[in-house]
């Protein structure tokens, strides 16, 4: 799909590694310029170099839930590459494992701030700065953990369920010139998800009809499609990308 996003600029949060970097790589391959974010400058600089350098990629380090950082990211896209046509809210955290009964409520608030409120704020800012006038497309990276109880990562799942609702609400508010959808991955082999599969990957993958866990490219291709005109009549959709595991679970 080289050239799919020629002349367009994408913002991808949480993109120094893992799913976010995979998405940024795919968008650059499809012709976009990208502005990527992460908390730490050094990994971000390495990611920019891997993407092809400053002609196609810029990095802005900071906390995704910092409103001033968000404004800098949007301004960098508009001032450096001439627009902010595409947004991928990928950054997310899972600071606590386990259920809700013993949950640290400060950690819960931080989870919602990063996984939900930061995405809303970025949508607001990019809409004001660019998309309200020029249109655009947005993808939120959610999770199948948001589809039902997940006692191992309960607060993370709750925040992703909220993000799913946010996606559908914004689809109603942003139309007709801006589309927004979400992708819901199952377990993808990244540093972020090691708690879920490390040391037992084969066992974790056994219930998946495709008999493997995901990799970042599996998610990146779907995100590219959802941002493209090929998905021009899709908005407010929660697209599960899970190797079939939710279907298998439903069939039991």
């Amino acid at each position: 799909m080289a050239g799919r996003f020629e002349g367009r600029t994408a913002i991808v949060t949480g993109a120094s590694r893992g799913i976010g970097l995979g998405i940024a790589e795919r968008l650059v391959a499809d012709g976009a310029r990208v502005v990527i974010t992460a908390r730490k400058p050094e990994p971000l600089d390495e990611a920019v170099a891997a993407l092809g350098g400053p002609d196609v990629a810029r990095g802005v380090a900071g906390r995704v839930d910092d409103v001033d950082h968000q404004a800098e990211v949007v301004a960098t896209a508009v001032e450096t590459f001439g627009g902010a046509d595409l947004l991928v809210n990928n950054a997310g955290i899972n600071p606590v494992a386990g259920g809700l009964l013993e949950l640290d409520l400060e950690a819960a608030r931080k989870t919602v701030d990063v996984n939900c409120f930061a995405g809303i704020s970025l949508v607001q800012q990019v809409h004001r700065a660019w998309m309200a006038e020029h249109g655009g497309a947005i993808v939120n990276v959610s999770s199948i953990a948001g589809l039902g109880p997940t006692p191992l990562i309960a607060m993370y799942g709750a925040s992703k369920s909220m993000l799913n609702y946010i996606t559908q609400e914004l689809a109603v508010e942003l139309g007709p010139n801006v589309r927004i959808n979400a992708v819901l991955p199952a377990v993808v082999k990244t540093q972020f998800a090691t708690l879920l599969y490390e040391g037992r990957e084969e066992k974790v993958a056994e219930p998946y009809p495709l008999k493997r866990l995901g990799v970042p490219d599996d998610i990146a291709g779907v995100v590219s499609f959802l941002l493209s005109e090929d998905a021009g009549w899709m908005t407010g959709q929660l697209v599960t990308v899970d190797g079939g595991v939710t279907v298998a679970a439903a069939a039991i």
Side-chain angles (χ1 to χ4, degrees):
M1 295 296 176
R4 170 184 262 179
F5 300 122
E6 196 70 38
R8 308 188 81 186
T9 302
I11 294 168
V12 186
T13 66
S16 64
R17 66 187 188 196
I19 291 174
L21 180 56
I23 291 169
E25 289 172 337
R26 177 58 185 264
L27 297 182
V28 169
D30 288 351
R33 283 87 46 94
V34 297
V35 175
I36 62 173
T37 79
R39 286 176 296 168
K40 297 179 180 179
E42 294 81 6
L44 197 58
D45 291 342
E46 294 172 3
V48 167
L51 290 167
D55 288 344
V56 296
R58 299 293 175 95
V60 182
R63 295 189 352 260
V64 73
D65 57 338
D66 180 339
V67 174
D68 291 336
H69 166 68
Q70 297 166 3
E72 182 184 2
V73 170
V74 176
T76 298
V78 174
E79 295 168 9
T80 304
F81 293 133
D85 311 286
L86 313 170
L87 170 63
V88 181
N89 284 314
N90 169 71
I93 61 169
N94 181 31
V96 288
L100 299 181
L101 287 178
E102 303 298 328
L103 178 65
D104 180 326
L105 294 183
E106 285 305 312
R109 292 185 184 98
K110 184 66 174 179
T111 301
V112 175
D113 280 345
V114 172
N115 294 0
C116 301
F117 295 154
I120 295 173
S121 181
L122 261 169
V123 170
Q124 291 174 340
Q125 295 209 40
V126 79
H127 188 256
R128 286 194 295 266
W130 187 260
M131 290 187 183
E133 180 178 354
H134 303 278
I138 302 166
V139 171
N140 291 330
V141 179
S142 183
S143 169
I144 65 166
L147 296 176
T150 51
L152 180 63
I153 49 172
M155 191 61 223
Y156 177 78
S159 72
K160 292 301 187 178
S161 182
M162 183 176 176
L163 184 61
N164 293 343
Y165 174 86
I166 288 166
T167 301
Q168 295 178 321
E169 174 65 32
L170 284 172
V172 175
E173 297 184 27
L174 289 169
N177 295 323
V178 178
R179 299 182 301 103
I180 181 169
N181 295 286
V183 291
L184 283 61
V187 179
V188 176
K189 292 196 294 182
T190 64
Q191 184 177 336
F192 179 80
T194 51
L195 170 70
L196 301 176
Y197 72 88
E198 191 170 42
R200 53 195 183 97
E201 181 178 336
E202 186 174 332
K203 181 178 179 180
V204 173
E206 179 59 31
Y208 289 60
L210 296 184
K211 302 303 179 189
R212 68 173 178 86
L213 302 182
V215 296
D217 282 351
D218 293 319
I219 312 307
V222 178
V223 171
S224 178
F225 162 72
L226 289 172
L227 292 172
S228 77
E229 290 306 313
D230 289 337
W233 208 41
M234 291 181 67
T235 196
Q237 300 306 302
L238 310 178
V239 181
T240 302
V241 189
D242 69 345
V245 69
T246 54
V247 174
I252 293 174

Coordinates of all heavy atoms in Angstrom, one line a residue, residues 9-10 21 24-25 28-29 32-36 43-60 76 80-81:
T9 N 0.1 13.4 7.4 CA 0.9 13.3 8.6 C 0.1 12.6 9.7 O -1.1 12.9 10.0 CB 1.3 14.7 9.1 OG1 2.0 15.4 8.1 CG2 2.1 14.6 10.4
A10 N 0.8 11.7 10.4 CA 0.2 10.9 11.5 C 0.9 11.2 12.8 O 2.1 11.4 12.9 CB 0.2 9.4 11.2
L21 N 5.4 1.4 17.8 CA 6.5 1.5 16.8 C 6.1 0.8 15.5 O 6.4 1.2 14.4 CB 7.8 1.0 17.3 CG 9.0 1.1 16.4 CD1 9.3 2.5 15.9 CD2 10.3 0.5 17.1
A24 N 3.8 2.9 13.5 CA 4.5 4.0 12.9 C 5.3 3.5 11.7 O 5.3 4.2 10.6 CB 5.5 4.7 13.9
E25 N 6.0 2.4 11.8 CA 6.7 1.8 10.7 C 5.8 1.5 9.5 O 6.1 1.8 8.3 CB 7.4 0.5 11.1 CG 8.5 0.7 12.1 CD 9.1 -0.6 12.6 OE1 8.3 -1.6 12.7 OE2 10.2 -0.6 13.1
V28 N 4.7 4.9 7.8 CA 5.8 5.5 7.0 C 5.9 4.7 5.7 O 6.1 5.2 4.6 CB 7.1 5.5 7.8 CG1 8.3 5.8 6.9 CG2 7.0 6.5 8.9
A29 N 5.8 3.3 5.8 CA 5.9 2.5 4.6 C 4.8 2.8 3.7 O 4.9 2.7 2.4 CB 5.9 1.0 5.0
A32 N 3.2 8.0 4.8 CA 2.9 9.1 5.8 C 4.2 9.6 6.4 O 5.2 8.9 6.5 CB 2.0 8.6 6.9
R33 N 4.2 10.9 6.8 CA 5.2 11.4 7.8 C 4.6 11.2 9.2 O 3.3 11.3 9.3 CB 5.4 12.9 7.6 CG 6.3 13.2 6.4 CD 5.6 13.3 5.1 NE 4.4 14.1 5.2 CZ 4.4 15.4 4.9 NH1 5.5 16.1 4.5 NH2 3.2 16.1 4.9
V34 N 5.4 10.9 10.2 CA 4.9 10.6 11.5 C 5.6 11.5 12.6 O 6.7 11.8 12.5 CB 5.0 9.1 11.9 CG1 4.2 8.3 10.9 CG2 6.5 8.7 11.9
V35 N 4.8 11.8 13.6 CA 5.3 12.4 14.8 C 5.0 11.4 15.9 O 3.8 11.0 16.1 CB 4.6 13.8 15.1 CG1 5.1 14.3 16.5 CG2 4.9 14.8 14.1
I36 N 6.0 10.9 16.6 CA 5.8 9.9 17.6 C 6.2 10.4 19.0 O 6.9 11.3 19.1 CB 6.6 8.6 17.2 CG1 8.1 8.9 17.2 CG2 6.2 8.0 15.9 CD1 9.0 7.7 17.1
P43 N 15.2 6.3 23.7 CA 14.5 5.3 22.9 C 13.7 5.9 21.7 O 13.6 5.4 20.7 CB 13.6 4.6 23.8 CG 14.1 4.8 25.2 CD 14.8 6.1 25.1
L44 N 13.2 7.1 22.0 CA 12.4 7.9 21.0 C 13.4 8.3 19.8 O 13.0 8.1 18.7 CB 11.8 9.1 21.6 CG 10.7 9.8 20.8 CD1 9.5 8.8 20.6 CD2 10.1 10.9 21.6
D45 N 14.6 8.7 20.2 CA 15.5 9.1 19.1 C 15.9 7.9 18.3 O 16.0 8.0 17.1 CB 16.8 9.7 19.8 CG 16.6 11.1 20.4 OD1 15.5 11.7 20.0 OD2 17.4 11.5 21.2
E46 N 16.1 6.7 18.9 CA 16.4 5.5 18.2 C 15.2 5.1 17.3 O 15.5 4.7 16.2 CB 16.7 4.4 19.2 CG 17.9 4.6 20.0 CD 18.1 3.6 21.1 OE1 17.2 2.6 21.2 OE2 19.1 3.7 21.9
A47 N 14.0 5.3 17.7 CA 12.9 5.0 16.9 C 12.8 5.9 15.7 O 12.5 5.4 14.6 CB 11.6 5.0 17.7
V48 N 13.0 7.2 15.9 CA 13.0 8.1 14.8 C 14.1 7.7 13.7 O 13.8 7.7 12.5 CB 13.3 9.6 15.3 CG1 13.6 10.5 14.1 CG2 12.1 10.1 16.0
A49 N 15.2 7.3 14.2 CA 16.3 6.9 13.3 C 15.9 5.7 12.5 O 16.1 5.5 11.3 CB 17.6 6.6 14.0
A50 N 15.2 4.7 13.2 CA 14.8 3.5 12.6 C 13.7 3.7 11.5 O 13.6 3.0 10.6 CB 14.3 2.5 13.6
L51 N 12.9 4.8 11.8 CA 11.8 5.1 10.8 C 12.3 5.8 9.6 O 11.5 5.9 8.6 CB 10.8 5.9 11.6 CG 10.0 5.2 12.6 CD1 9.2 6.2 13.5 CD2 9.0 4.2 12.0
G52 N 13.5 6.3 9.6 CA 14.1 6.9 8.4 C 14.6 8.3 8.6 O 14.9 9.0 7.7
G53 N 14.6 8.8 9.9 CA 15.1 10.1 10.2 C 14.2 11.2 10.1 O 13.0 11.0 9.8
P54 N 14.7 12.4 10.3 CA 13.8 13.6 10.4 C 13.0 14.0 9.2 O 12.1 14.8 9.3 CB 14.8 14.7 10.8 CG 16.1 14.3 10.4 CD 16.1 12.8 10.5
D55 N 13.4 13.5 8.0 CA 12.6 13.8 6.8 C 11.2 13.2 6.9 O 10.2 13.7 6.3 CB 13.3 13.3 5.6 CG 14.5 14.2 5.2 OD1 14.6 15.3 5.8 OD2 15.3 13.7 4.4
V56 N 11.1 12.1 7.6 CA 9.8 11.4 7.7 C 9.3 11.2 9.1 O 8.1 10.9 9.3 CB 9.8 10.0 7.0 CG1 10.1 10.1 5.5 CG2 10.9 9.1 7.7
A57 N 10.1 11.4 10.1 CA 9.7 11.2 11.5 C 10.3 12.2 12.4 O 11.4 12.6 12.3 CB 10.1 9.8 11.9
R58 N 9.5 12.6 13.4 CA 10.0 13.4 14.5 C 9.5 12.8 15.8 O 8.4 12.3 15.8 CB 9.5 14.9 14.3 CG 9.9 15.6 13.1 CD 11.4 15.8 13.1 NE 11.9 16.4 11.8 CZ 12.1 17.7 11.6 NH1 11.8 18.6 12.5 NH2 12.5 18.1 10.4
G59 N 10.3 13.0 16.8 CA 9.9 12.5 18.1 C 9.7 13.6 19.1 O 10.4 14.6 19.1
V60 N 8.7 13.5 20.0 CA 8.4 14.5 21.0 C 8.3 13.7 22.3 O 7.3 13.0 22.5 CB 7.2 15.3 20.7 CG1 7.0 16.4 21.9 CG2 7.2 16.0 19.4
T76 N 4.0 20.3 16.6 CA 5.1 19.7 15.8 C 4.6 19.1 14.5 O 5.2 19.3 13.4 CB 5.8 18.7 16.6 OG1 6.4 19.3 17.8 CG2 7.0 18.0 15.8
T80 N 5.9 21.2 11.4 CA 7.0 20.5 10.7 C 6.5 19.9 9.4 O 7.2 20.0 8.4 CB 7.6 19.5 11.6 OG1 8.0 20.1 12.8 CG2 8.8 18.8 11.0
F81 N 5.4 19.2 9.4 CA 5.0 18.4 8.2 C 3.7 19.0 7.6 O 3.2 18.4 6.6 CB 4.7 17.0 8.7 CG 6.0 16.2 9.0 CD1 6.0 15.5 10.2 CD2 7.1 16.3 8.2 CE1 7.2 14.8 10.5 CE2 8.3 15.6 8.6 CZ 8.3 14.9 9.7

